[in-house]
Every structure is written in C-alpha cells, then in structure tokens.
Amino acid sequence: METAALERFCSPGKGSGLRARRRVRPGELLYRAEPFAYVVTKEQLGGVCERCLRRSEHLHRCSQCKVAKYCGKSCQKEAWLDHKQECRCLKNIKPNFPPDSVRLAGRIVFKLLRQSVCLSERLYSFSDLQTNIEQLSEEMKDALRHLAQTLQLYLKTEIQDASYLPPAVDFFQIFTKLTISYTESLMPTSERQKQLMRQYCFECDCLLCQNQEKDAEKLAGEEHAWKEVKNAVNEVRYPKSKEEWEKVLARCRNLLSSYKGRLPDTNIYQLKMLDCAMDACINLESWEEALYYGSRTLEPYRLYYPGFHPLRAVQLMRVGKLQYSQDMFPQALETLKQAYNIMKVTHGTDHSLMQALMEIKEQCEAIMRIQ
C-alpha cells in the first residue's frame, strides 16, 4: 500500500534537488508532498480509507462503483478528483477487478491527462523517470505489454482510442518507469541482486550488497526446513474471513512447532512466519498468543533494521499495544518508548501513527502513576 505522504527525514542526497545549508538534525522534516498517485492494494481493500489510508471498521462505500471506501464525507470529497474517472472504469468492468499495478497506472494516466500540478514533482516529474526499455528482456517486455493491454481494456469506458493520447501518456512506458521502492533489504544479497537486474536493469553496489552483510543470519538453520517455511509464507494470501485466518494460524503453528530448535528466529523465513502468525492471532483476537509471536520478532527486527528504521518502530508499537492489552504496563511502556524514539525521527510528531502511539503511551503512563 502506498503511503499518503512523501516525507524525507534524512539529509539531502546527491541529485535530490535539495541543497544543505546547515547540519540537519535527525527527525527534522525537510520536504513533504502527497504522492503523484497511490492506491490501496487489493489485499487491504475495504479495510482502510482510500484517501487518508487510516484503518477503520466503519467505512462508507462509494455508491457508484461499490469498491472505494472512505472514513467520512471529507475524505470522499477530497478523493473525488482522483476517483471520478476511475469510478466509472471500476463499475464498467465488474465483476472483474484490475491488478493493483493497472489501477495505479490508470490513476497516473488520468492525472497526466488533467495536467494536474503535484507538489511531489518539485523534486522530479513523472516524465523524468527512466524506463530502461532497451535493457529489458523480451520476456519482461511481453509481460509489460500484457499489462498495457489490460490497462487499455480497463480504461476503455473513459479512453476509447489510446492512439489519440499525447506522447507523454504511453501505456507501455508507464509500466517501465521506476515508480516504487526497488527491493526489500531483508532479502539475501543474491536474491536482491537477481531481482534488481531482472526488474530494474542495474547491479547494486551499495555497502549492504558489497559486504553481503548478515546473509549468514538470514539463512541460518537447516536448509530444507527454511525452504519449506519459505514456500508456506509465499503461499499465504491476505485472508478475508475468520475461517481463512484460522487456517493460516494452524499452518503457522504446525511449521513453527515442527522446526522448533532447527530454525532460529533470525532466519528471515522463520521471521516472516512469526509475523504471519502474529497477524493471524490479532485478527482472531488471540492477544496472548499474538504477543508470544510478536515478542520473538523484536530481536531479529533490531538486527535487520538497526538505527532509525520505520519498520522496527511499527513492530515495537504493535508489540507494545499487545503488552498493554495483557496488563503488562511496565513492559508496554518500555517498548512504546523505544517505538516513540524511533518514530519521532522516521515519521515526525504530526503523523497519525505517531499520534496514536503517543495516546497509548500516555494512557500507559497514567496507569503506572496510579499503581
């Protein structure tokens, strides 16, 4: 799921378009702008507001397409400019639904045609993004052409003839731009390198790749064991019902029990399995068991996401909330403080997630004062 704000909290890098005139303090906001385009992934659809991306159990559905949901009239009104044409497209292709990348590309097309001014383009515009078409394999080009054809069918109700579109709106080239994060740093070096070369046509030379740092820990344990866990994790799709979550949890329990002592929690596939089990327990409201799995993830998260890393902050917050739910107030307060110290740098004090963290942290402090 794309975030609803582009925020840069580190000092300006080469080519960033920002000139450093003084030393930047950690957590100081340098630049903020809404992204050019974003969508809620199919897995999260219906669980978060399409505009502000906040989770809510009481969302209001768009009366036309019956797909987009919002937390209130204000968000729905703000989102209408981006949703108006998309709404008709979604309605027209029912009962089918476009892939996430196609829906995102559709929003990009409509925004390019509107020639909307977007603050995020002060750093660089969408047209500035590279395509590397000449370096793509024929297999990759065929896959992207298929996506372009799917996009054309999806937009047919709004754009009857794509040949009349201006050169800047090229369906095929839109899918070749580098518009997302390159890869997940948690992956082993060899897998990262293969993915980067296959999808983005470059060989990474960063320190993490040069040193192959922490690769041994990432794949520690018995190979046949972590390969089975890896396959199981890759097979999990975001469940929609209680029964589906129960099946996921049963699978996690079985594998975690079978390979107890044979796979350390630092193994990245074991770690993903623990995360999966934690999510299942939270959705099934099994708070004590969720805390058990979540607590086991904290040390691997500290190892793989050191310093000020947003993923570690969010995980600490989740575990802290679970500790709070189990009346473990001293432990919860310590965990929430760790999350706070990271999140004030990675998110800033005015971020909605930071405000939620401060609220539960203050509640915990109030209980501690009474006891």
Side-chain angles (χ1 to χ4, degrees):
M1 178 169 60
E2 295 289 337
T3 55
L6 171 65
E7 301 178 337
R8 294 173 182 258
F9 290 99
C10 57
S11 52
K14 184 179 178 181
S16 68
L18 297 173
R19 297 185 62 186
R21 297 178 182 274
R22 56 181 173 78
R23 189 173 183 83
V24 178
R25 299 189 306 273
E28 183 176 356
L29 178 64
L30 296 181
Y31 187 80
R32 171 183 289 168
E34 290 197 1
F36 187 81
Y38 64 97
V39 295
V40 175
T41 63
K42 194 181 297 185
E43 290 180 343
Q44 302 291 335
L45 206 62
V48 298
C49 173
E50 292 262 344
R51 170 60 184 165
C52 68
L53 305 181
R54 288 188 176 92
R55 290 189 177 278
S56 175
E57 295 179 359
H58 307 288
L59 296 173
H60 304 279
R61 188 172 61 177
C62 172
S63 60
Q64 297 299 313
C65 66
K66 307 289 194 299
V67 172
K69 291 188 176 182
Y70 305 95
C71 58
K73 291 183 178 178
S74 176
C75 274
Q76 187 168 8
K77 186 177 180 180
E78 290 174 13
W80 181 240
L81 188 60
D82 287 324
H83 181 60
K84 182 178 180 180
Q85 290 175 286
E86 172 195 68
C87 184
R88 291 191 284 265
C89 294
L90 290 170
K91 188 177 179 181
N92 185 63
I93 65 165
K94 280 188 172 183
N96 298 316
F97 193 83
D100 295 333
S101 58
V102 170
R103 189 182 175 201
L104 177 61
R107 286 197 167 197
I108 291 172
V109 168
F110 292 139
K111 197 150 194 171
L112 290 172
L113 291 175
R114 290 200 310 269
Q115 298 183 337
S116 300
V117 176
C118 185
L119 292 178
S120 66
E121 292 194 290
R122 288 183 179 178
L123 297 178
Y124 52 83
S125 68
F126 184 78
S127 61
D128 291 331
L129 297 172
Q130 298 182 40
T131 62
N132 292 311
I133 292 176
E134 65 283 354
Q135 299 179 49
L136 295 175
S137 66
E138 286 305 315
E139 181 183 2
M140 178 62 77
K141 287 179 183 178
D142 287 341
L144 294 176
R145 289 189 190 101
H146 177 71
L147 281 175
Q149 291 169 359
T150 304
L151 175 62
Q152 189 169 350
L153 291 172
Y154 169 57
L155 301 182
K156 192 173 182 180
T157 186
E158 292 294 306
I159 303 173
Q160 286 77 30
D161 192 344
S163 64
Y164 288 100
L165 292 173
V169 185
D170 184 297
F171 287 178
F172 176 70
Q173 288 201 15
I174 283 175
F175 286 104
T176 65
K177 301 280 189 178
L178 310 178
T179 59
I180 58 173
S181 299
Y182 287 125
T183 191
E184 183 184 2
S185 61
L186 192 61
M187 295 167 61
T189 302
S190 60
E191 289 192 31
R192 292 200 311 273
Q193 292 282 7
K194 287 178 184 177
Q195 182 174 329
L196 291 171
M197 181 56 70
R198 183 184 67 83
Q199 192 165 354
Y200 300 109
C201 307
F202 74 89
E203 184 174 335
C204 185
D205 194 32
C206 74
L207 288 176
L208 186 65
C209 288
Q210 286 180 21
N211 302 334
Q212 299 186 16
E213 189 179 357
K214 301 181 179 123
D215 274 6
E217 292 96 330
K218 289 178 180 179
L219 298 178
E222 299 178 12
E223 184 175 354
H224 77 278
W226 62 252
K227 281 187 174 179
E228 183 178 352
V229 173
K230 176 184 178 181
N231 291 335
V233 169
N234 291 337
E235 289 171 2
V236 173
R237 297 294 178 265
Y238 199 83
K240 298 289 186 181
S241 66
K242 180 181 178 181
E243 291 73 21
E244 289 176 346
W245 276 118
E246 286 173 343
K247 289 179 181 178
V248 168
L249 181 56
R251 178 71 166 146
C252 292
R253 284 171 175 166
N254 181 52
L255 286 171
L256 290 170
S257 174
S258 298
Y259 295 123
K260 186 176 182 180
R262 297 159 68 186
L263 282 182
D265 291 345
T266 52
N267 181 287
I268 58 172
Y269 303 113
Q270 173 89 343
L271 177 58
K272 289 182 178 183
M273 181 63 72
L274 289 169
D275 261 331
C276 190
M278 179 184 178
D279 287 340
C281 289
I282 289 173
N283 279 276
L284 294 171
E285 300 184 1
S286 300
W287 312 121
E288 186 176 356
E289 189 175 359
L291 176 57
Y292 168 70
Y293 296 125
S295 298
R296 289 174 61 179
T297 69
L298 292 186
E299 182 55 28
Y301 266 74
R302 187 196 62 78
L303 174 67
Y304 296 130
Y305 303 116
F308 298 107
H309 199 291
L311 290 181
R312 184 174 173 228
V314 171
Q315 191 73 349
L316 283 164
M317 180 179 175
R318 296 175 77 204
V319 172
K321 289 172 69 176
L322 289 168
Q323 290 170 329
Y324 180 87
S325 74
Q326 298 300 299
D327 297 337
M328 299 168 61
F329 301 119
Q331 297 93 325
L333 185 57
E334 177 58 32
T335 305
L336 293 169
K337 282 181 178 178
Q338 291 181 53
Y340 174 84
N341 289 333
I342 299 173
M343 202 174 285
K344 69 181 179 182
V345 173
T346 59
H347 291 68
T349 55
D350 60 343
H351 194 281
S352 60
L353 201 59
M354 183 64 163
Q355 292 170 0
L357 171 60
M358 291 171 66
E359 183 178 342
I360 190 171
K361 176 173 167 286
E362 288 169 1
Q363 290 173 0
C364 197
E365 288 171 336
I367 293 172
M368 292 287 291
R369 285 193 296 269
I370 296 172
Q371 291 181 343

